Amino acid sequence: MKFEIIPRKSVGPIQFGMKQKQLREILSWKFHELPYREERSFREDIFPEIGVSTTYDDKLLCCVAVMLEYPAESVFIGRNILDKNYSKENLERFLESVDPLIQVEIDGILSEKLGIFVNFDFDEENYEEDEPEGYIQDSVTIFKELFGIIL
């Protein structure tokens, strides 16, 4: 399923601020809710068949973040951020062209301006000598504002 990212507003049909019940109806896929734990101040739904996880503010039960992973297509300005053929270096340059203040770590790229965090995982199976870092996009989290979610 393709999800067009509009920074700080929406991810495909998911609008930030949307109530949990409404979001579940719009996605209309099987989901499971992660059990609430007091040490976290948010709730989450996982839609495994489409590679989507949604995070809700515990007080208002409004969507505040969306995580996409395979098989979801996360499209930002015409590019699928989760395309495994798109190297970390190329993705870094692309995001930096939109936000020169991105923060790059070994395991991710964060753009606070865009509300996008791309998580990288070490890919031992497909490790190649010509790409010594061996890191590939694992997931992308899109958020309205940073609010204490561990990215």
Side-chain angles (χ1 to χ4, degrees), residues 33-44 58 150:
E33 183 175 347
L34 290 183
Y36 178 76
R37 295 192 322 239
E38 254 184 63
E39 64 269 13
R40 300 183 318 181
S41 61
F42 54 89
R43 297 179 183 271
E44 292 179 274
D58 186 45
I150 299 170

Side-chain angles (χ1 to χ4, degrees), residues 47-58:
F47 299 82
E49 293 177 23
I50 57 173
V52 174
S53 298
T54 52
T55 302
Y56 308 93
D57 178 296
D58 186 45

